[in-house]
Amino acid sequence: MIALLVMAGMAALAFLLSRLAGGDGQTAVLVWIGGSALALGFPLLAGLLATRTFRDIATPLADVMTAAEAVAGGDLGVRVEQPRHAPEQFRRLAASFNRMVAELQRVDEQRRNLTADVAHELRTPLQIIQGNLEGLIDGVYQPTQEHISATLEETSLLARLVTDLGTLSLAEAGELQLVWEPVRVDELLSDVATSFSGQAEAAGLELQLDVDGDLPTIEGDVERLQQVLGNLMANAVRYSAQGGSITLRAQPCDGGVAITVTDTGEGIPPDDLPHVFDRFWRGDRARSHAGGAGSGLGLAIAKQLVEAHGGHIEAESEVGVGTTFRVLLPPGPGEPHS
């Protein structure tokens, strides 16, 4: 109906223009055809462009909304396609959405793994405690110092695991409270070496302390830094064979301090090395209770505590040769950067 009205109007306009210009009927027809084409073509073209633009915008947006609903329903495996014809803004939106969902999926997998790992770590000492107590009640065991001590040791392991989990949780959330103060690194290492001298001697290991005489003072929490080095030293003692050695070294580095703990132990296979700071990692015996191993959180906690100090921790190892853990700590306030 609108098209007919437009064509009729253009016919009248064409006749009028041709009369004013002194043209004949053929001229009027040509003017009518051209005017009608323009009058109808422009709206049609605008409509087509608007439809295509709407499709390019609405379709990607609908895909994102559908994917968001799937994520809200618990499906973290959903991803949004990024068609090449979509506007750049929507391609970026889809890419950002996919990265967000991938990160949610990674965190969810970590949560599930952590739950399974905690259950596993709790199960072993609880089974031992339950077995010992049931044996005492049933008269299978006598309440000797040996059995009581074994049960107490497992309860201590549980307490340490709970404490370590609490520390790790706070550190990962950035809520761990640190007591900041100037730290003399030479005194810090001397105290750690003294603490582990007895264990090293009992294990038949030579403990060496090598501290540069020109170390800068750093800013940190002394107790937490002792915890970091204590975890590293405990691993070194545990996995070094009798007759080996452990070297605790400190030297200036980039205005701060580099502290290394080097042992002559069994070493870590190359495939396992990237995972040594993972929680409850079990690439080797370091993540089991055998041999007096700890909760499996020591290195994960060390990493979090070092990063809370603005530092970095790394490991290098060669199977059959030994392992070196390197802690890089930034300079304290007022210390010059090299």
Side-chain angles (χ1 to χ4, degrees):
M1 186 65 180
I2 295 177
L4 291 176
L5 291 175
V6 170
M7 294 175 68
M10 289 303 303
L13 180 62
F15 177 77
L16 179 61
L17 291 175
S18 64
R19 297 293 294 177
L20 292 175
D24 55 12
Q26 186 177 4
T27 302
V29 171
L30 291 175
V31 171
W32 174 74
I33 292 175
S36 298
L38 290 174
L40 296 176
F42 275 125
L44 180 61
L45 180 60
L48 292 175
L49 291 176
T51 301
R52 180 174 180 180
T53 301
F54 178 79
R55 185 178 66 249
D56 290 344
I57 293 177
T59 300
L61 187 59
D63 291 342
V64 172
M65 293 177 64
T66 302
E69 291 176 355
V71 171
D75 182 8
L76 297 179
V78 66
R79 296 293 185 272
V80 178
E81 294 186 5
Q82 303 177 46
R84 287 178 295 180
H85 63 269
E88 174 66 21
Q89 294 87 341
F90 285 94
R91 291 201 300 270
R92 291 171 57 187
L93 174 63
S96 299
F97 180 88
N98 290 340
R99 287 196 300 270
M100 179 192 70
V101 177
E103 180 64 17
L104 288 174
Q105 188 175 35
R106 184 188 68 82
V107 171
D108 185 65
E109 290 176 356
Q110 283 187 335
R111 178 186 60 79
R112 294 174 185 273
N113 292 337
L114 176 61
T115 301
D117 288 336
V118 170
H120 174 84
E121 294 295 326
L122 292 175
R123 185 180 300 113
T124 300
L126 285 174
Q127 287 176 343
I128 294 175
I129 293 172
Q130 181 180 354
N132 287 346
L133 293 177
E134 289 177 349
L136 292 173
I137 293 173
D138 296 338
V140 177
Y141 303 136
Q142 295 300 316
T144 62
Q145 181 68 32
E146 179 183 357
H147 285 103
I148 294 176
S149 297
T151 303
L152 182 61
E153 182 179 345
E154 294 301 322
T155 61
S156 298
L157 176 61
L158 282 175
R160 185 164 65 250
L161 175 60
V162 172
T163 300
D164 287 349
L165 282 171
T167 301
L168 187 58
S169 176
L170 289 174
E172 289 181 336
E175 299 176 355
L176 186 65
Q177 297 297 319
L178 300 178
V179 181
W180 295 95
E181 60 181 307
V183 179
R184 288 277 305 272
V185 179
D186 55 345
E187 295 179 356
L188 174 67
L189 266 63
S190 178
D191 291 342
V192 172
T194 301
S195 300
F196 280 88
S197 59
Q199 296 182 38
E201 183 178 357
L205 301 171
E206 180 185 2
L207 178 57
Q208 302 174 350
L209 181 61
D210 181 9
V211 178
D212 192 288
D214 189 24
L215 291 176
T217 299
I218 64 172
E219 191 84 4
D221 187 316
V222 174
E223 291 188 3
R224 293 303 185 183
L225 291 175
Q226 287 177 339
Q227 184 177 1
V228 170
L229 297 179
N231 288 341
L232 300 181
M233 289 292 293
N235 273 354
V237 172
R238 186 177 298 125
Y239 302 110
S240 295
Q242 185 175 7
S245 65
I246 300 174
T247 302
L248 184 59
R249 179 179 291 110
Q251 56 190 24
C253 179
D254 295 331
V257 176
I259 302 174
T260 58
V261 177
T262 303
D263 64 58
T264 57
E266 59 195 51
I268 303 171
D271 292 341
D272 293 336
L273 195 58
H275 305 289
V276 294
F277 297 109
D278 294 348
R279 292 175 296 193
F280 299 115
W281 173 71
R282 293 186 181 86
D284 58 21
R285 292 177 298 168
R287 297 297 183 178
S288 70
H289 291 298
S295 64
L297 296 171
L299 293 179
I301 290 175
K303 179 177 183 293
Q304 291 296 327
L305 292 180
V306 170
E307 292 179 352
H309 282 79
H312 174 70
I313 185 171
E314 57 192 21
E316 58 184 39
S317 184
E318 184 176 349
V319 176
V321 176
T323 301
T324 295
F325 285 94
R326 181 175 294 103
V327 176
L328 305 174
L329 297 172
E335 292 291 341
H337 291 261
S338 60

